[in-house]
Amino acid sequence: MLRIEDLHASVAETPILKGVQLSIGPGEVHAIMGPNGSGKSTLSKVLAGDESYTVESGRVDFEGQNLFEMPPEERARAGLFLGFQYPVEIPGVNNSYFLKAALNAARAARGEPEIDPVSFLKRVRERAQWVGLDDSLLKRPVNAGFSGGEKKRNEIFHLAVLEPRLAILDETDSGLDIDALRAVADGVNRMRDPQRSFLLITHYQRLLSYIEPDYVHVMVRGQIVRSGGKELAAELERSGYAAFEDEEAA
Amino acid sequence: MAGAPQWVLQRRAHAEEQVESRGLPQPHWEAWRGCDLGALTPSRLTSVAAPALASSVAPAAARGAGAVTDPSSDPLRGPIGLLPAPLCDAASARLLFVDGRLTSPVEASEWPPGVTVSVLSGVGAADAHDTTATTAAVTTAAAPEGSAAVASDQAASLWQGDGWAASHLGAHAKADELPLAALNLARTREVVVIHVAAGIEVAEPLLIGSYCSAAAAGQAVYPRVLLCAEPGSRIGVIEWCSGAAASDYLHIPVYELAIDRGARVEWTRLSEEGEVGRQFATLRATVQADGELALHSHLDGGAQVRADLGVVLAGSNAGADLSGLVLGKDASYLDHHTAIWHCAAETYSRQLFKGVLDESACGLFDGASHVAEQAQRIQAEQQCRNLLLSDTAQARMVPRLEIYADDVRCSHGATSGELDEQAIFYMRARGIDAAVARLLLTEAFAEGAIAAGPCAVAAAYQRQQLRRFLPGGEAL
C-alpha cells in the first residue's frame, strides 16, 4: 500500500529525514516511536503534502502512485488520511458541512455521486458515537473552542467518516486522559480492516496497549534504526530511547 | 397642501450659505485626511436635471431582479424592479429614488399600520441652486386601517413649523458641521420622512433604494430620508444604494434617524454602486434613553464609497450596535468613518467591521468613540478586522478614543492579515480543493460581520453577494 524509499526531507534548509525506508501492506498496523526531534511528525507532514517541508530526494508510492506528484487534496481523495498532532481550528466552517465537503470531494474523485443527506447523517451520527463525540460538536465550527481531547476525538471521527485506505495518526494519544485515549483507540480498532492500514506515530507505549500494532519501528535522527514486532514497544518502554541513539539505519 | 413650508426653504437657504461660506471638504481637514476628494468638484456637484424614470433605467427583467408589483397598476412600477428581488419580496413596503426622485407615489395601502410616510417633492426641481422654489408639494400617506385618525392628524401636522419633521430635519446631520449634509439639504429634490408612532412594532423591514442611472453620469444625486421612531416603537429599514455600471455619478445621500425613548431601529445599508460610481453617504442618528440602534453597513463595489456613520447616545442606557462588511476589488476605495458620542451615563456601543480586500482595493476604517464627562459607566467596544486576498490590497485602520469620563470600559482592536495557511493545509489534507478551502475560509471570516447585522433578509442577500464577489464563489 505504501512504500517509502530513501526519503530525505528538510525544513528551512535543515535536514530532518535522512533516508527513511518503510513499507506498509494492506491491513497492517505500524507504529513509529522515537524521541522528540527524531523526525516522526515531519514524516507524517511530508506524506500528507505539507508544503512547508521540502522533499530533497527519495520516493514514496501510495497504491501504486507516486505520492509526490499529487497535491495534498489528491492524496486525501486517494485515501491517505493524516490525523493532526495539533488539529487546526477553523472558525466559521461547520464541522458537519466540512466533512460532507471532504467526503463528496473523495467521491467525486472516484466518479461517484454525492452522498445523499440521509445516509450522510446516519453515518455521521454512528461514527460520532464510536469515538464518544458529543453531537453538539457536529454543528460547531471545526475544532473551534474544542478541548484538547475533543479535538483528538474529532480527528478520529473524521477518520471514521472518511474511511481512508491509510490513516497516519500523528501523536493522537498526546494530551489525552485515559477515557479519551480508550475512546480514540476504540474508534481506530473499529476501523481496522484487511484493506485499511494504519501508521501510528507516538512517543509512548501506552497507546499500543489499546491498539495492537503488527510492526513497531524506532526512529532516531531522521532514520528508522530498528524494526520489529509489538514486543519492540515493550523493550523501548524498559530501555528508553537512549539505547537506540547509536544505532544506524538497518 | 401645496408649496414648501417656509421653514424648509429657510433651512435650505441656510444650508446653501454653509456650502458657499465653508466650501467643500478639504484634504487637510481631519475628517477627510487621506480621502481622495478629486470627485468633489463644483462642476460635478450639479444635481441631475431631469427625473430618470422607466425610459432611462434598465428594465427589471434585464437584471434578473423581477418586478415585485403589478406593472400595469402603475406606469412607474418598472423602476421598482431595479431593487434586488430578494429584498423586495421580504420588505413590508418599498421606496425607490432614481436619480434623486421617487419613482412611485407614496401609497397608503403599502405602509404598515402606525407608519406615516410623507414626501416633500419638487423642491428646487427647476434649478438645484434655486432655494426659493415654489413648486414643492407634499404628499403624505399613512396606513388607512387601525390608526387612521391618528395618522390623519399626524399628516396634517407633519410639515408644520412645530411638527416633528421641523424638529428633526437637519437637526442630526447638521449643515453647520457636515459640508456634504449641507450640500444635500441645499440641493435635494425630494425629502422623505418616515414616522413610526409610539409603541408600533413593524415586523418586516421597509426597503428604501436609491439608484443612479446613466442620466446621472458626471452629476450628483442627493436623496434624503428622515426617520422618526416614537417612544417604544420598533422598525427595520434596508437601505440600498446602487447605480448604472458605466455611469460616473456622484451619490450623496443623507439619512437622519431620530430614535426616541425605548425605541429600536434596525438599519441595514447595502451599498452596491456601479463600478465607476462614487458615493459619499452620511447617516446621523440620535438615540434617546433606553433606545437602540442596530446599524449595519455593507460596502460592495463603486470606484469610491465613503459611509460616514455617526450616532449620538443622548439618554441613559441608549445603545448602538454597529457592524459592517467591506468587499473591495479592482482599485475601489471603500471607507467607513464611524463616530459614537456617548453623552449620557450607562450607554453602550459595540462596533465590528470587517473587510475582504482583493486586487488593488483599499479599505479604510476610521472609528471614533467620544465619551463626555457625564457619561459614566459606559461601554464602548470597537473591532476592525481585514482579510487581504492579494499583495496589492490595502487596509487602513484608525481607531480613536476620546474619553472625558473616568469610569468607563472602552476597548478597540484592529488587525489585518491573510488567510491561515495552516487551516488551508488542514482542509486540503481532508480532500478539499485549495481554492474551495480559501473560499470557505473567506466566507467564514466575513460571516462574523454578516451575522452581526440585525436583518436576516439582508444577511442572506449579503451571503449571496459575497459568493458573487469571490472568484469561483458561485460554483460553491
Side-chain angles (χ1 to χ4, degrees):
Chain A
M1 177 169 288
L2 183 80
R3 177 182 294 275
I4 303 172
E5 291 178 6
D6 196 24
L7 177 60
H8 291 253
S10 60
V11 62
E13 298 187 357
T14 303
I16 307 287
L17 301 183
K18 301 168 185 170
V20 175
Q21 302 276 142
L22 182 67
S23 271
I24 299 176
E28 293 176 355
V29 176
H30 290 241
I32 294 184
M33 303 181 71
N36 286 330
S38 59
K40 305 186 302 296
S41 286
T42 296
L43 176 63
S44 70
K45 293 282 182 64
V46 167
L47 292 177
D50 189 333
E51 286 158 359
S52 47
Y53 297 86
T54 306
V55 175
E56 303 291 352
S57 63
R59 182 180 172 93
V60 177
D61 284 326
F62 175 60
E63 301 273 62
Q65 290 178 277
N66 181 348
L67 202 63
F68 297 144
E69 289 177 351
M70 304 158 77
E73 54 269 38
E74 265 185 44
R75 302 181 196 192
R77 291 172 198 162
L80 188 146
F81 177 93
L82 171 64
F84 281 61
Q85 181 179 3
Y86 303 109
V88 181
E89 295 195 8
I90 309 184
V93 179
N94 174 291
N95 200 14
S96 191
Y97 175 84
F98 173 73
L99 258 185
K100 196 171 180 184
L103 188 61
N104 282 331
R107 291 172 70 98
R110 295 194 296 268
E112 296 172 10
E114 290 194 354
I115 190 167
D116 71 89
V118 176
S119 304
F120 177 72
L121 192 63
K122 190 178 164 202
R123 185 194 293 202
V124 157
R125 287 200 172 138
E126 177 189 76
R127 312 289 156 103
Q129 274 190 348
W130 286 6
V131 295
L133 190 77
D134 193 289
D135 268 3
S136 66
L137 301 185
L138 302 177
K139 295 172 196 152
R140 295 242 306 262
V142 181
N143 294 322
F146 289 23
S147 71
E150 286 170 340
K151 284 179 181 171
K152 295 296 179 76
R153 283 180 201 240
N154 197 43
E155 291 294 281
I156 303 305
F157 166 62
H158 284 193
L159 158 68
V161 171
L162 296 174
E163 299 180 342
R165 303 295 310 278
L166 170 67
I168 304 164
L169 303 182
D170 186 6
E171 300 200 20
T172 297
D173 53 332
S174 64
L176 291 186
D177 63 34
I178 199 74
D179 291 337
L181 181 64
R182 193 170 287 150
V184 161
D186 283 352
V188 171
N189 286 329
R190 275 178 185 268
M191 293 300 293
R192 287 182 79 157
D193 178 290
Q195 298 304 316
R196 181 172 297 120
S197 311
F198 288 86
L199 177 59
L200 311 175
I201 290 170
T202 182
H203 274 299
Y204 306 109
Q205 197 266 341
R206 187 176 71 150
L207 176 70
L208 306 182
S209 307
Y210 296 95
I211 306 171
E212 193 172 297
D214 301 306
Y215 301 94
V216 174
H217 312 275
V218 181
M219 183 177 261
V220 176
R221 291 192 300 272
Q223 293 182 320
I224 289 175
V225 297
R226 180 93 73 90
S227 296
K230 59 187 175 190
E231 68 284 350
L232 184 55
E235 184 186 336
L236 270 171
E237 193 73 6
R238 286 194 302 275
S239 62
Y241 291 117
F244 297 84
E245 287 286 329
D246 298 330
E247 296 199 17
E248 295 293 326
Chain B
M1 186 174 176
Q6 195 59 31
W7 65 265
V8 173
L9 298 179
Q10 284 169 355
R11 284 187 202 179
R12 284 169 65 85
H14 176 71
E16 187 64 45
E17 282 167 17
Q18 288 297 316
V19 172
E20 285 172 12
S21 62
R22 299 186 67 208
L24 296 167
Q26 299 297 314
H28 62 271
W29 293 4
E30 185 60 28
W32 295 89
R33 209 175 281 280
C35 183
D36 175 7
L37 298 172
L40 293 177
T41 57
S43 63
R44 295 205 52 191
L45 295 169
T46 311
S47 196
V48 180
L53 298 179
S55 59
S56 60
V57 297
R63 303 179 81 238
V68 293
T69 49
D70 177 8
S72 63
S73 65
D74 186 327
L76 300 179
R77 285 299 187 199
I80 280 280
L82 285 166
L83 293 166
L87 304 178
C88 254
D89 292 347
S92 60
R94 303 141 201 93
L95 281 177
L96 174 64
F97 292 96
V98 172
D99 297 341
R101 304 296 295 267
L102 279 174
T103 55
S104 58
V106 180
E107 289 174 3
S109 59
E110 248 194 297
W111 298 93
V115 177
T116 306
V117 177
S118 187
V119 182
L120 180 65
S121 59
V123 193
D127 181 344
H129 299 267
D130 178 8
T131 56
T132 59
T134 55
T135 52
V138 169
T139 52
T140 300
E145 295 171 20
S147 55
V150 175
S152 173
D153 289 347
Q154 283 175 341
S157 62
L158 199 152
W159 292 98
Q160 290 176 4
D162 58 354
W164 45 259
S167 301
H168 294 293
L169 186 69
H172 307 278
K174 293 174 183 157
D176 296 2
E177 297 172 2
L178 301 166
L180 294 187
L183 196 62
N184 176 287
L185 186 56
R187 303 190 181 180
T188 187
R189 292 176 173 279
E190 287 179 322
V191 179
V192 173
V193 180
I194 301 168
H195 178 267
V196 190
I200 291 293
E201 296 195 5
V202 183
E204 306 300 334
L206 309 184
L207 176 59
I208 302 173
S210 180
Y211 186 85
C212 296
S213 75
Q219 300 174 81
V221 169
Y222 299 97
R224 189 168 191 116
V225 177
L226 165 64
L227 171 76
C228 298
E230 294 279 8
S233 62
R234 180 180 178 130
I235 190 164
V237 174
I238 300 172
E239 174 231 319
W240 177 78
C241 278
S242 187
S247 178
D248 63 339
Y249 57 82
L250 199 49
H251 210 160
I252 306 185
V254 170
Y255 307 94
E256 293 181 280
L257 318 182
I259 303 170
D260 216 325
R261 297 177 71 90
R264 176 176 168 87
V265 172
E266 298 177 346
W267 188 281
T268 304
R269 295 202 76 227
L270 299 172
S271 168
E272 301 184 293
E273 298 292 8
E275 60 197 34
V276 294
R278 290 170 192 268
Q279 179 197 115
F280 292 87
T282 304
L283 184 147
R284 284 290 180 276
T286 303
V287 188
Q288 302 298 339
D290 301 315
E292 287 180 310
L293 169 66
L295 171 60
H296 186 78
S297 173
H298 173 99
L299 307 184
D300 175 6
Q304 181 182 14
V305 174
R306 172 177 164 131
D308 185 348
L309 313 172
V311 183
V312 176
L313 298 171
S316 64
N317 205 33
D321 271 300
L322 271 62
S323 57
L325 178 65
V326 168
L327 303 178
K329 59 168 59 167
D330 301 323
S332 60
Y333 184 92
L334 304 173
D335 171 355
H336 275 120
H337 263 70
T338 70
I340 313 277
W341 288 272
H342 288 264
C343 299
E346 291 166 348
T347 50
Y348 68 89
S349 63
R350 293 183 283 256
Q351 299 189 61
L352 172 65
F353 284 81
K354 289 191 171 186
V356 179
L357 303 166
D358 202 357
E359 299 173 349
S360 299
C362 178
L364 173 70
F365 173 78
D366 186 313
S369 298
H370 307 273
V371 184
E373 192 175 356
Q374 70 275 17
Q376 301 293 346
R377 300 176 302 284
I378 65 102
Q379 288 188 41
E381 297 169 15
Q382 187 190 97
Q383 295 286 332
C384 180
R385 307 259 176 263
N386 283 288
L387 180 59
L388 303 177
L389 298 181
S390 83
D391 293 340
T392 47
Q394 290 181 58
R396 299 182 197 161
M397 291 160 283
V398 187
R400 303 170 196 266
L401 293 175
E402 191 179 282
I403 303 169
Y404 293 102
D406 52 17
D407 181 10
V408 301
R409 285 177 61 188
C410 295
S411 64
H412 66 83
T415 61
S416 70
E418 299 167 0
L419 288 171
D420 179 358
E421 288 299 327
Q422 285 290 320
I424 291 170
F425 174 63
Y426 183 84
M427 295 170 85
R428 294 179 75 189
R430 293 287 189 267
I432 292 173
D433 270 331
V436 174
R438 289 176 185 280
L439 281 173
L440 290 175
L441 289 171
T442 306
E443 283 195 332
F445 171 82
E447 179 60 27
I450 292 173
C455 175
V457 171
Y461 179 74
Q462 285 180 273
R463 291 183 188 106
Q464 175 192 316
Q465 296 306 84
L466 175 62
R467 290 212 163 175
R468 286 188 187 159
F469 169 82
L470 296 171
E474 287 184 273
L476 267 182

